[in-house]
Amino acid sequence: MTHQVHAFEPPERFVAGTVGPPGERTFFLQARGGGRLVSVALEKVQVSLLAEKLEELLTEAHRRFGVELPEAPTTLGDNDPLDTPVDEEFRVGTLGLAFDVDTATVVIEAIAAGEAEAEVELGGSDDDEDEDEDEPDDDLDRLRVRLTPQATREFIERARRVVNAGRPPCPLCGQPLDPAGHLCPRHNGYHR
């Protein structure tokens, strides 16, 4: 079976976004460039972890390689909605991150979930893993994006805004509050 590698090195636009009302949102990574538009679906926790790990990757690149890090954007950057049509190419199972020292760019790779994939993974480098475990991933579709540190910082800020734009948390239990309220365990199941 053939697989597709959607490579954007660099993209014209790479963002995290959602479709749907809070509580029913579907999260996407979307890359545009060279007349192509690719959208891949993923979980909210994956977007949140991706932003966190990208921040750590930039910090480590600065510490180890002396890469100049841009300041966090002070103005609201790209706040436009996802480009349409938002057609899901695949659902992300694994996210991989790397820093290319030669070009001083961040490489993000989103790999499609395999048939047997049951958990959300976020991986960096696979140092001591058995090579047989990597072979099934060779047949999976993937989205590969190469970003400058500035574009990475802008992606991080937008991803955090998108994740935080959902339903507000209950002040007692921390679970998301629906517009109609929720059954709070801290109130012994009474509607809040």
Side-chain angles (χ1 to χ4, degrees):
M1 179 179 236
T2 62
H3 68 282
Q4 287 190 307
V5 176
H6 306 280
F8 294 86
E9 301 182 1
E12 294 169 13
R13 182 180 191 223
F14 179 64
V15 295
T18 62
V19 173
E24 300 174 18
R25 298 187 298 170
T26 302
F27 286 79
F28 289 94
L29 293 179
Q30 189 177 72
R32 178 184 69 207
R36 297 179 302 146
L37 179 67
V38 176
S39 303
V40 296
L42 69 170
E43 300 297 323
K44 178 180 182 178
V45 67
Q46 288 176 298
V47 175
S48 179
L49 283 172
L50 179 58
E52 179 184 324
K53 295 301 181 185
L54 283 171
E55 189 71 49
E56 291 175 13
L57 182 68
L58 287 177
T59 302
E60 186 67 15
H62 175 68
R63 187 183 70 74
R64 290 179 65 191
F65 308 117
V67 174
E68 286 298 317
L69 294 183
E71 293 296 321
T74 56
T75 60
L76 192 61
D78 183 353
N79 203 29
D80 294 335
L82 294 174
D83 294 330
T84 56
V86 181
D87 294 328
E88 178 182 323
E89 293 290 328
F90 58 84
R91 179 157 287 280
V92 175
T94 305
L95 290 166
L97 304 176
F99 187 82
D100 185 346
V101 180
D102 296 335
T103 60
T105 56
V106 173
V107 180
I108 302 169
E109 190 166 85
I111 304 170
E115 291 177 19
E117 187 124 12
E119 63 184 63
V120 175
E121 298 178 23
L122 182 73
S125 62
D126 300 333
D127 293 334
D128 297 324
E129 289 190 18
D130 188 6
E131 287 183 27
D132 293 338
E133 292 178 16
D134 291 339
E135 286 180 17
D137 285 351
D138 292 342
D139 293 336
L140 300 174
D141 290 347
R142 55 190 71 218
L143 168 65
R144 184 177 305 132
V145 179
R146 186 178 296 268
L147 301 172
T148 64
Q150 178 65 41
T152 303
R153 184 75 76 191
E154 291 168 4
F155 174 83
I156 292 168
E157 293 306 314
R158 176 176 170 128
R160 288 179 175 157
R161 283 194 317 268
V162 166
V163 167
N164 293 330
R167 298 172 290 172
C170 172
L172 298 174
C173 69
Q175 293 180 4
L177 283 175
D178 290 322
H182 79 114
L183 296 176
C184 184
R186 300 286 304 263
H187 277 243
N188 292 326
Y190 286 100
H191 213 319
R192 175 149 171 68

